[in-house]
Every structure is written in structure tokens, then in C-alpha cells.
Short mmCIF file of all heavy atoms in Angstrom, two decimals:
data_model
loop_
_atom_site.label_atom_id
_atom_site.label_comp_id
_atom_site.label_asym_id
_atom_site.label_seq_id
_atom_site.Cartn_x
_atom_site.Cartn_y
_atom_site.Cartn_z
N MET W 27 23.75 132.20 -32.83
CA MET W 27 24.96 131.83 -32.11
C MET W 27 26.09 131.58 -33.10
O MET W 27 25.92 130.86 -34.08
CB MET W 27 24.70 130.58 -31.28
CG MET W 27 25.86 130.16 -30.44
SD MET W 27 25.37 128.82 -29.34
CE MET W 27 26.67 127.68 -29.69
N ALA W 28 27.23 132.16 -32.87
CA ALA W 28 28.39 132.02 -33.75
C ALA W 28 29.02 130.63 -33.56
O ALA W 28 29.04 130.10 -32.45
CB ALA W 28 29.41 133.10 -33.46
N GLU W 29 29.52 130.11 -34.65
CA GLU W 29 30.20 128.81 -34.60
C GLU W 29 31.54 128.96 -33.87
O GLU W 29 32.18 130.00 -33.93
CB GLU W 29 30.48 128.30 -36.02
CG GLU W 29 29.26 127.86 -36.77
CD GLU W 29 28.73 126.52 -36.30
OE1 GLU W 29 29.40 125.79 -35.56
OE2 GLU W 29 27.61 126.21 -36.70
N ASP W 30 31.97 127.92 -33.20
CA ASP W 30 33.28 127.86 -32.57
C ASP W 30 34.22 127.19 -33.58
O ASP W 30 34.40 125.98 -33.56
CB ASP W 30 33.21 127.09 -31.25
CG ASP W 30 34.56 127.05 -30.53
OD1 ASP W 30 35.57 127.53 -31.08
OD2 ASP W 30 34.58 126.52 -29.41
N TYR W 31 34.77 128.00 -34.47
CA TYR W 31 35.57 127.45 -35.56
C TYR W 31 36.87 126.82 -35.07
O TYR W 31 37.33 125.85 -35.66
CB TYR W 31 35.84 128.52 -36.63
CG TYR W 31 34.58 128.87 -37.38
CD1 TYR W 31 33.99 130.12 -37.24
CD2 TYR W 31 33.97 127.94 -38.20
CE1 TYR W 31 32.83 130.43 -37.91
CE2 TYR W 31 32.79 128.24 -38.87
CZ TYR W 31 32.23 129.49 -38.73
OH TYR W 31 31.07 129.78 -39.40
N ALA W 32 37.44 127.33 -33.99
CA ALA W 32 38.65 126.71 -33.44
C ALA W 32 38.34 125.29 -33.01
O ALA W 32 39.11 124.36 -33.26
CB ALA W 32 39.19 127.53 -32.28
N ASN W 33 37.20 125.09 -32.36
CA ASN W 33 36.78 123.76 -31.94
C ASN W 33 36.50 122.87 -33.14
O ASN W 33 36.89 121.70 -33.16
CB ASN W 33 35.54 123.86 -31.04
CG ASN W 33 35.10 122.50 -30.55
OD1 ASN W 33 35.90 121.68 -30.11
ND2 ASN W 33 33.81 122.24 -30.63
N LEU W 34 35.84 123.40 -34.15
CA LEU W 34 35.54 122.60 -35.35
C LEU W 34 36.83 122.16 -36.04
O LEU W 34 36.95 121.00 -36.46
CB LEU W 34 34.67 123.40 -36.33
CG LEU W 34 33.23 123.62 -35.90
CD1 LEU W 34 32.52 124.56 -36.88
CD2 LEU W 34 32.47 122.30 -35.80
N MET W 35 37.82 123.05 -36.13
CA MET W 35 39.09 122.67 -36.76
C MET W 35 39.83 121.64 -35.91
O MET W 35 40.46 120.73 -36.47
CB MET W 35 39.94 123.91 -37.01
CG MET W 35 39.39 124.77 -38.13
SD MET W 35 40.43 126.17 -38.57
CE MET W 35 40.10 127.26 -37.18
N ALA W 36 39.78 121.77 -34.59
CA ALA W 36 40.41 120.77 -33.71
C ALA W 36 39.74 119.41 -33.90
O ALA W 36 40.42 118.37 -33.90
CB ALA W 36 40.33 121.22 -32.26
N ARG W 37 38.43 119.40 -34.06
CA ARG W 37 37.71 118.14 -34.28
C ARG W 37 38.06 117.54 -35.64
O ARG W 37 38.13 116.32 -35.78
CB ARG W 37 36.21 118.37 -34.16
CG ARG W 37 35.78 118.64 -32.71
CD ARG W 37 34.32 118.89 -32.57
NE ARG W 37 33.57 117.71 -33.00
CZ ARG W 37 32.30 117.75 -33.40
NH1 ARG W 37 31.63 118.90 -33.41
NH2 ARG W 37 31.69 116.66 -33.79
N LEU W 38 38.28 118.39 -36.65
CA LEU W 38 38.75 117.88 -37.95
C LEU W 38 40.10 117.21 -37.78
O LEU W 38 40.33 116.11 -38.28
CB LEU W 38 38.88 119.02 -38.97
CG LEU W 38 37.64 119.61 -39.58
CD1 LEU W 38 38.02 120.75 -40.53
CD2 LEU W 38 36.82 118.57 -40.33
N LYS W 39 40.99 117.87 -37.08
CA LYS W 39 42.35 117.35 -36.88
C LYS W 39 42.33 116.02 -36.15
O LYS W 39 43.07 115.10 -36.51
CB LYS W 39 43.18 118.37 -36.11
CG LYS W 39 44.61 117.96 -35.92
CD LYS W 39 45.40 119.03 -35.21
CE LYS W 39 46.84 118.58 -35.01
NZ LYS W 39 47.64 119.61 -34.34
N SER W 40 41.48 115.90 -35.13
CA SER W 40 41.44 114.67 -34.34
C SER W 40 40.69 113.53 -35.04
O SER W 40 40.77 112.39 -34.62
CB SER W 40 40.79 114.94 -32.99
OG SER W 40 39.40 115.17 -33.14
N GLY W 41 39.94 113.87 -36.09
CA GLY W 41 39.18 112.86 -36.80
C GLY W 41 37.76 112.70 -36.28
O GLY W 41 37.01 111.87 -36.79
N ASP W 42 37.37 113.48 -35.29
CA ASP W 42 36.00 113.43 -34.76
C ASP W 42 34.98 113.98 -35.74
O ASP W 42 33.79 113.70 -35.63
CB ASP W 42 35.89 114.22 -33.45
CG ASP W 42 36.60 113.53 -32.30
OD1 ASP W 42 36.86 112.31 -32.39
OD2 ASP W 42 36.89 114.23 -31.31
N LEU W 43 35.45 114.79 -36.68
CA LEU W 43 34.58 115.43 -37.65
C LEU W 43 35.22 115.28 -39.02
O LEU W 43 36.44 115.43 -39.15
CB LEU W 43 34.44 116.92 -37.27
CG LEU W 43 33.45 117.78 -38.00
CD1 LEU W 43 32.01 117.29 -37.73
CD2 LEU W 43 33.58 119.23 -37.55
N ASP W 44 34.43 114.95 -40.04
CA ASP W 44 34.97 114.80 -41.39
C ASP W 44 35.07 116.12 -42.14
O ASP W 44 36.02 116.33 -42.89
CB ASP W 44 34.10 113.83 -42.21
CG ASP W 44 34.19 112.41 -41.71
OD1 ASP W 44 35.26 112.01 -41.19
OD2 ASP W 44 33.19 111.69 -41.81
N GLU W 45 34.07 116.98 -41.96
CA GLU W 45 34.05 118.26 -42.67
C GLU W 45 33.06 119.19 -42.00
O GLU W 45 32.23 118.77 -41.19
CB GLU W 45 33.66 118.07 -44.13
CG GLU W 45 32.27 117.53 -44.33
CD GLU W 45 31.93 117.25 -45.79
OE1 GLU W 45 32.83 116.91 -46.56
OE2 GLU W 45 30.74 117.39 -46.14
N PHE W 46 33.18 120.47 -42.32
CA PHE W 46 32.18 121.45 -41.92
C PHE W 46 32.09 122.52 -42.99
O PHE W 46 33.00 122.69 -43.79
CB PHE W 46 32.45 122.05 -40.53
CG PHE W 46 33.69 122.91 -40.43
CD1 PHE W 46 33.66 124.27 -40.74
CD2 PHE W 46 34.89 122.37 -39.98
CE1 PHE W 46 34.78 125.05 -40.62
CE2 PHE W 46 36.02 123.14 -39.86
CZ PHE W 46 35.97 124.49 -40.19
N THR W 47 30.96 123.21 -43.01
CA THR W 47 30.68 124.21 -44.03
C THR W 47 30.69 125.61 -43.43
O THR W 47 30.17 125.82 -42.33
CB THR W 47 29.30 123.95 -44.67
OG1 THR W 47 29.31 122.63 -45.23
CG2 THR W 47 28.98 124.95 -45.76
N VAL W 48 31.29 126.54 -44.17
CA VAL W 48 31.28 127.95 -43.77
C VAL W 48 30.48 128.72 -44.80
O VAL W 48 30.76 128.65 -46.00
CB VAL W 48 32.72 128.51 -43.68
CG1 VAL W 48 32.70 130.00 -43.38
CG2 VAL W 48 33.53 127.76 -42.63
N GLU W 49 29.49 129.44 -44.32
CA GLU W 49 28.66 130.28 -45.18
C GLU W 49 29.38 131.60 -45.44
O GLU W 49 30.19 132.05 -44.61
CB GLU W 49 27.31 130.55 -44.50
CG GLU W 49 26.49 129.31 -44.22
CD GLU W 49 25.93 128.66 -45.48
OE1 GLU W 49 25.74 129.36 -46.49
OE2 GLU W 49 25.69 127.44 -45.44
N PRO W 50 29.08 132.25 -46.57
CA PRO W 50 29.76 133.52 -46.88
C PRO W 50 29.66 134.57 -45.77
O PRO W 50 30.64 135.26 -45.48
CB PRO W 50 29.04 134.00 -48.14
CG PRO W 50 28.49 132.77 -48.76
CD PRO W 50 28.17 131.84 -47.62
N ALA W 51 28.53 134.68 -45.12
CA ALA W 51 28.34 135.68 -44.06
C ALA W 51 29.22 135.40 -42.84
O ALA W 51 29.51 136.30 -42.06
CB ALA W 51 26.88 135.73 -43.65
N ASP W 52 29.68 134.15 -42.68
CA ASP W 52 30.48 133.75 -41.52
C ASP W 52 31.97 133.65 -41.82
O ASP W 52 32.75 133.29 -40.94
CB ASP W 52 29.99 132.41 -40.99
CG ASP W 52 28.54 132.45 -40.57
OD1 ASP W 52 28.10 133.50 -40.06
OD2 ASP W 52 27.84 131.44 -40.77
N PHE W 53 32.36 133.97 -43.05
CA PHE W 53 33.74 133.73 -43.45
C PHE W 53 34.75 134.51 -42.61
O PHE W 53 35.79 133.99 -42.24
CB PHE W 53 33.96 134.01 -44.93
CG PHE W 53 35.38 133.73 -45.35
CD1 PHE W 53 35.81 132.43 -45.52
CD2 PHE W 53 36.29 134.76 -45.51
CE1 PHE W 53 37.14 132.16 -45.86
CE2 PHE W 53 37.61 134.50 -45.85
CZ PHE W 53 38.03 133.20 -46.03
N MET W 54 34.48 135.77 -42.31
CA MET W 54 35.44 136.56 -41.56
C MET W 54 35.64 136.01 -40.14
O MET W 54 36.77 136.01 -39.63
CB MET W 54 35.03 138.03 -41.52
CG MET W 54 35.15 138.71 -42.88
SD MET W 54 36.74 138.49 -43.73
CE MET W 54 37.85 139.33 -42.65
N ALA W 55 34.59 135.51 -39.51
CA ALA W 55 34.73 134.87 -38.20
C ALA W 55 35.58 133.61 -38.32
O ALA W 55 36.45 133.34 -37.47
CB ALA W 55 33.36 134.55 -37.62
N PHE W 56 35.35 132.84 -39.38
CA PHE W 56 36.16 131.64 -39.61
C PHE W 56 37.62 132.03 -39.86
O PHE W 56 38.54 131.42 -39.30
CB PHE W 56 35.64 130.85 -40.81
CG PHE W 56 36.62 129.82 -41.29
CD1 PHE W 56 36.80 128.64 -40.59
CD2 PHE W 56 37.41 130.05 -42.41
CE1 PHE W 56 37.74 127.70 -41.00
CE2 PHE W 56 38.34 129.12 -42.82
CZ PHE W 56 38.50 127.94 -42.12
N GLN W 57 37.85 133.04 -40.68
CA GLN W 57 39.20 133.46 -41.05
C GLN W 57 40.03 133.84 -39.82
O GLN W 57 41.20 133.51 -39.73
CB GLN W 57 39.14 134.63 -42.04
CG GLN W 57 40.48 135.12 -42.52
CD GLN W 57 41.20 134.15 -43.44
OE1 GLN W 57 40.66 133.15 -43.87
NE2 GLN W 57 42.43 134.46 -43.75
N THR W 58 39.41 134.51 -38.88
CA THR W 58 40.10 134.90 -37.64
C THR W 58 40.58 133.66 -36.88
O THR W 58 41.73 133.58 -36.46
CB THR W 58 39.17 135.75 -36.76
OG1 THR W 58 38.80 136.92 -37.49
CG2 THR W 58 39.84 136.14 -35.46
N ALA W 59 39.70 132.68 -36.72
CA ALA W 59 40.07 131.44 -36.03
C ALA W 59 41.10 130.65 -36.84
O ALA W 59 42.04 130.08 -36.28
CB ALA W 59 38.83 130.60 -35.77
N TYR W 60 40.93 130.63 -38.15
CA TYR W 60 41.83 129.91 -39.03
C TYR W 60 43.27 130.42 -38.92
O TYR W 60 44.21 129.63 -38.83
CB TYR W 60 41.33 130.04 -40.48
CG TYR W 60 42.24 129.44 -41.51
CD1 TYR W 60 42.25 128.08 -41.75
CD2 TYR W 60 43.09 130.25 -42.26
CE1 TYR W 60 43.09 127.52 -42.71
CE2 TYR W 60 43.92 129.70 -43.23
CZ TYR W 60 43.92 128.34 -43.44
OH TYR W 60 44.75 127.81 -44.38
N MET W 61 43.44 131.73 -38.90
CA MET W 61 44.78 132.31 -38.84
C MET W 61 45.47 132.00 -37.51
O MET W 61 46.70 132.02 -37.44
CB MET W 61 44.72 133.82 -39.07
CG MET W 61 44.31 134.18 -40.49
SD MET W 61 45.29 133.39 -41.79
CE MET W 61 46.88 134.16 -41.53
N GLN W 62 44.73 131.68 -36.47
CA GLN W 62 45.31 131.35 -35.17
C GLN W 62 45.48 129.85 -34.97
O GLN W 62 46.08 129.43 -33.98
CB GLN W 62 44.42 131.93 -34.06
CG GLN W 62 44.37 133.43 -34.09
CD GLN W 62 43.39 134.01 -33.09
OE1 GLN W 62 42.74 133.29 -32.35
NE2 GLN W 62 43.27 135.32 -33.09
N PHE W 63 44.99 129.03 -35.89
CA PHE W 63 45.06 127.58 -35.75
C PHE W 63 46.45 127.10 -36.14
O PHE W 63 46.95 127.42 -37.22
CB PHE W 63 43.98 126.91 -36.61
CG PHE W 63 43.76 125.47 -36.30
CD1 PHE W 63 43.18 125.09 -35.09
CD2 PHE W 63 44.10 124.49 -37.21
CE1 PHE W 63 42.97 123.75 -34.80
CE2 PHE W 63 43.90 123.15 -36.93
CZ PHE W 63 43.33 122.78 -35.73
N GLU W 64 47.09 126.32 -35.27
CA GLU W 64 48.49 125.95 -35.47
C GLU W 64 48.76 125.13 -36.73
O GLU W 64 49.80 125.29 -37.35
CB GLU W 64 49.02 125.20 -34.25
CG GLU W 64 48.34 123.85 -34.04
CD GLU W 64 48.80 123.13 -32.80
OE1 GLU W 64 48.75 123.75 -31.73
OE2 GLU W 64 49.20 121.97 -32.93
N SER W 65 47.87 124.26 -37.13
CA SER W 65 48.10 123.45 -38.32
C SER W 65 47.13 123.83 -39.43
O SER W 65 46.58 122.99 -40.12
CB SER W 65 48.02 121.96 -37.99
OG SER W 65 46.81 121.64 -37.36
N ARG W 66 46.97 125.15 -39.63
CA ARG W 66 46.00 125.64 -40.61
C ARG W 66 46.31 125.23 -42.03
O ARG W 66 45.42 125.13 -42.85
CB ARG W 66 45.87 127.16 -40.50
CG ARG W 66 47.09 127.93 -40.92
CD ARG W 66 46.86 129.43 -40.80
NE ARG W 66 48.10 130.16 -40.94
CZ ARG W 66 48.86 130.54 -39.94
NH1 ARG W 66 48.50 130.27 -38.71
NH2 ARG W 66 49.98 131.18 -40.16
N LYS W 67 47.57 124.95 -42.35
CA LYS W 67 47.91 124.57 -43.72
C LYS W 67 47.33 123.22 -44.11
O LYS W 67 47.27 122.88 -45.27
CB LYS W 67 49.42 124.59 -43.91
CG LYS W 67 49.96 126.00 -43.86
CD LYS W 67 51.41 126.05 -44.19
CE LYS W 67 51.87 127.51 -44.14
NZ LYS W 67 53.24 127.64 -44.61
N ARG W 68 46.89 122.46 -43.12
CA ARG W 68 46.25 121.17 -43.39
C ARG W 68 44.73 121.26 -43.49
O ARG W 68 44.09 120.30 -43.86
CB ARG W 68 46.64 120.16 -42.33
CG ARG W 68 48.10 119.77 -42.44
CD ARG W 68 48.40 118.71 -41.42
NE ARG W 68 49.77 118.28 -41.57
CZ ARG W 68 50.13 117.02 -41.83
NH1 ARG W 68 49.22 116.10 -41.96
NH2 ARG W 68 51.39 116.70 -41.93
N ILE W 69 44.18 122.41 -43.15
CA ILE W 69 42.74 122.64 -43.30
C ILE W 69 42.52 123.06 -44.75
O ILE W 69 42.99 124.10 -45.18
CB ILE W 69 42.23 123.73 -42.34
CG1 ILE W 69 42.55 123.39 -40.88
CG2 ILE W 69 40.74 123.98 -42.54
CD1 ILE W 69 41.79 122.21 -40.32
N VAL W 70 41.81 122.22 -45.49
CA VAL W 70 41.63 122.44 -46.92
C VAL W 70 40.16 122.72 -47.20
O VAL W 70 39.28 122.01 -46.72
CB VAL W 70 42.07 121.18 -47.71
CG1 VAL W 70 41.87 121.38 -49.20
CG2 VAL W 70 43.52 120.84 -47.39
N GLY W 71 39.93 123.79 -47.97
CA GLY W 71 38.56 124.17 -48.32
C GLY W 71 38.26 123.95 -49.79
O GLY W 71 39.14 124.07 -50.63
N GLN W 72 37.02 123.62 -50.05
CA GLN W 72 36.55 123.46 -51.43
C GLN W 72 35.35 124.38 -51.60
O GLN W 72 34.35 124.25 -50.88
CB GLN W 72 36.15 122.02 -51.70
CG GLN W 72 35.64 121.83 -53.12
CD GLN W 72 35.33 120.37 -53.42
OE1 GLN W 72 35.79 119.47 -52.73
NE2 GLN W 72 34.55 120.16 -54.44
N ALA W 73 35.45 125.29 -52.55
CA ALA W 73 34.37 126.24 -52.80
C ALA W 73 33.19 125.55 -53.47
O ALA W 73 33.37 124.72 -54.36
CB ALA W 73 34.87 127.38 -53.68
N GLU W 74 32.02 125.88 -53.03
CA GLU W 74 30.77 125.36 -53.58
C GLU W 74 29.97 126.53 -54.15
O GLU W 74 30.39 127.68 -54.08
CB GLU W 74 29.97 124.66 -52.48
CG GLU W 74 30.67 123.47 -51.86
CD GLU W 74 30.77 122.28 -52.78
OE1 GLU W 74 29.78 121.97 -53.45
OE2 GLU W 74 31.85 121.66 -52.82
N LYS W 75 28.81 126.23 -54.67
CA LYS W 75 27.93 127.27 -55.21
C LYS W 75 27.52 128.24 -54.12
O LYS W 75 27.43 127.88 -52.95
CB LYS W 75 26.68 126.65 -55.83
CG LYS W 75 26.96 125.87 -57.10
CD LYS W 75 25.68 125.33 -57.67
CE LYS W 75 25.96 124.56 -58.94
NZ LYS W 75 24.74 124.01 -59.52
N ASN W 76 27.24 129.47 -54.52
CA ASN W 76 26.74 130.53 -53.63
C ASN W 76 27.71 130.91 -52.53
O ASN W 76 27.31 131.40 -51.49
CB ASN W 76 25.39 130.14 -53.04
CG ASN W 76 24.34 129.93 -54.10
OD1 ASN W 76 24.29 130.68 -55.08
ND2 ASN W 76 23.52 128.92 -53.94
N GLY W 77 29.00 130.67 -52.72
CA GLY W 77 30.01 131.12 -51.77
C GLY W 77 30.26 130.23 -50.57
O GLY W 77 31.06 130.58 -49.71
N LYS W 78 29.59 129.10 -50.49
CA LYS W 78 29.84 128.18 -49.37
C LYS W 78 31.19 127.51 -49.56
O LYS W 78 31.60 127.24 -50.69
CB LYS W 78 28.76 127.11 -49.30
CG LYS W 78 27.40 127.62 -48.96
CD LYS W 78 26.39 126.48 -48.91
CE LYS W 78 25.01 127.00 -48.68
NZ LYS W 78 24.02 125.91 -48.65
N ILE W 79 31.86 127.24 -48.46
CA ILE W 79 33.13 126.53 -48.51
C ILE W 79 33.06 125.36 -47.55
O ILE W 79 32.69 125.51 -46.39
CB ILE W 79 34.31 127.43 -48.14
CG1 ILE W 79 34.33 128.67 -49.04
CG2 ILE W 79 35.63 126.67 -48.25
CD1 ILE W 79 35.35 129.71 -48.65
N ILE W 80 33.41 124.18 -48.05
CA ILE W 80 33.44 122.98 -47.23
C ILE W 80 34.90 122.69 -46.88
O ILE W 80 35.74 122.56 -47.77
CB ILE W 80 32.81 121.79 -47.96
CG1 ILE W 80 31.35 122.09 -48.27
CG2 ILE W 80 32.94 120.51 -47.13
CD1 ILE W 80 30.67 121.04 -49.12
N TYR W 81 35.18 122.61 -45.59
CA TYR W 81 36.55 122.39 -45.11
C TYR W 81 36.71 120.97 -44.57
O TYR W 81 35.80 120.43 -43.96
CB TYR W 81 36.89 123.38 -43.99
CG TYR W 81 37.09 124.78 -44.51
CD1 TYR W 81 36.05 125.69 -44.50
CD2 TYR W 81 38.32 125.19 -45.03
CE1 TYR W 81 36.22 126.98 -44.99
CE2 TYR W 81 38.49 126.46 -45.53
CZ TYR W 81 37.44 127.36 -45.50
OH TYR W 81 37.62 128.62 -45.99
N HIS W 82 37.88 120.41 -44.83
CA HIS W 82 38.26 119.12 -44.25
C HIS W 82 39.73 119.19 -43.86
O HIS W 82 40.43 120.15 -44.21
CB HIS W 82 37.99 117.96 -45.23
CG HIS W 82 38.90 117.94 -46.40
ND1 HIS W 82 38.68 118.67 -47.54
CD2 HIS W 82 40.07 117.28 -46.59
CE1 HIS W 82 39.66 118.46 -48.40
NE2 HIS W 82 40.52 117.62 -47.85
N TYR W 83 40.20 118.19 -43.15
CA TYR W 83 41.59 118.15 -42.69
C TYR W 83 42.34 117.14 -43.55
O TYR W 83 41.91 116.01 -43.73
CB TYR W 83 41.65 117.73 -41.22
CG TYR W 83 43.01 117.93 -40.59
CD1 TYR W 83 43.37 119.17 -40.09
CD2 TYR W 83 43.92 116.89 -40.53
CE1 TYR W 83 44.62 119.36 -39.52
CE2 TYR W 83 45.16 117.07 -39.96
CZ TYR W 83 45.51 118.32 -39.45
OH TYR W 83 46.75 118.51 -38.89
N ASP W 84 43.48 117.56 -44.07
CA ASP W 84 44.31 116.70 -44.90
C ASP W 84 45.28 115.93 -44.01
O ASP W 84 46.35 116.43 -43.67
CB ASP W 84 45.06 117.52 -45.94
CG ASP W 84 45.82 116.67 -46.92
OD1 ASP W 84 45.80 115.43 -46.80
OD2 ASP W 84 46.45 117.24 -47.84
N HIS W 85 44.89 114.74 -43.61
CA HIS W 85 45.73 113.90 -42.73
C HIS W 85 46.91 113.31 -43.47
O HIS W 85 47.88 112.91 -42.84
CB HIS W 85 44.90 112.77 -42.12
CG HIS W 85 43.86 113.25 -41.16
ND1 HIS W 85 44.14 113.58 -39.87
CD2 HIS W 85 42.53 113.48 -41.32
CE1 HIS W 85 43.05 113.99 -39.25
NE2 HIS W 85 42.06 113.94 -40.11
N ASP W 86 46.86 113.25 -44.79
CA ASP W 86 47.91 112.60 -45.58
C ASP W 86 48.99 113.55 -46.07
O ASP W 86 49.97 113.10 -46.66
CB ASP W 86 47.30 111.91 -46.80
CG ASP W 86 46.33 110.81 -46.39
OD1 ASP W 86 46.57 110.15 -45.37
OD2 ASP W 86 45.33 110.61 -47.09
N GLN W 87 48.83 114.83 -45.84
CA GLN W 87 49.78 115.82 -46.33
C GLN W 87 51.13 115.64 -45.65
O GLN W 87 51.22 115.41 -44.45
CB GLN W 87 49.24 117.24 -46.06
CG GLN W 87 50.13 118.32 -46.58
CD GLN W 87 49.56 119.70 -46.26
OE1 GLN W 87 48.88 119.87 -45.25
NE2 GLN W 87 49.85 120.65 -47.09
N THR W 88 52.20 115.74 -46.42
CA THR W 88 53.55 115.69 -45.86
C THR W 88 54.06 117.11 -45.69
O THR W 88 53.76 117.99 -46.49
CB THR W 88 54.52 114.90 -46.76
OG1 THR W 88 54.55 115.50 -48.04
CG2 THR W 88 54.11 113.46 -46.86
N GLN W 89 54.84 117.32 -44.66
CA GLN W 89 55.33 118.68 -44.40
C GLN W 89 56.71 118.88 -44.93
O GLN W 89 57.53 118.11 -45.05
CB GLN W 89 55.31 118.99 -42.92
CG GLN W 89 53.91 119.08 -42.41
CD GLN W 89 53.87 119.54 -40.95
OE1 GLN W 89 54.89 119.65 -40.27
NE2 GLN W 89 52.68 119.78 -40.47
#
């Protein structure tokens, strides 16, 4: 079952979720949802070993 990345990003924004991980095989599915997310510039990813990326929401960022 594919992840609902739009929902995961909304949960990051609301504070219901601290972070989520995207595996390399799922990156293109994530990228599609990411490009449609209204506050995508606040979704910050940190690359880990083996191509995993951990995303969190930057609540402190100024626009």
C-alpha cells in the first residue's frame, strides 16, 4: 500500500507527527505530493544512509 504523503505532510504541519521517512523506492511518489503541498518550503528533509530521507516541518521558519 502506498503512503499518503499529502496526509503525512499535513500531519507534520499540524504537529500531529514529528517526522516521517521516505525510502528511495518511494521518492517519486513523495515528490509528486510534495510539489502539490502548499507549504512545501517548510518541509525539510535530512538524508540518511542508503538513500532514506527523514522529513520534518520547520515551524520556526520565517517567510
Side-chain angles (χ1 to χ4, degrees):
M27 184 172 129
E29 289 285 347
D30 182 355
Y31 290 112
N33 181 46
L34 289 174
M35 288 185 285
R37 289 179 62 203
L38 285 178
K39 183 177 179 179
S40 70
D42 289 340
L43 188 65
D44 292 328
E45 63 184 31
F46 67 86
T47 302
V48 175
E49 298 290 334
D52 300 325
F53 181 75
M54 291 310 295
F56 166 76
Q57 182 70 8
T58 300
Y60 175 80
M61 293 307 294
Q62 296 174 1
F63 194 69
E64 66 183 53
S65 54
R66 68 179 168 266
K67 291 186 179 187
R68 290 183 177 239
I69 303 292
V70 179
Q72 179 176 341
E74 298 290 317
K75 291 182 180 179
N76 300 320
K78 293 180 185 179
I79 304 173
I80 299 174
Y81 288 95
H82 70 275
Y83 192 84
D84 185 359
H85 292 280
D86 298 326
Q87 183 181 30
T88 58
Q89 292 186 352

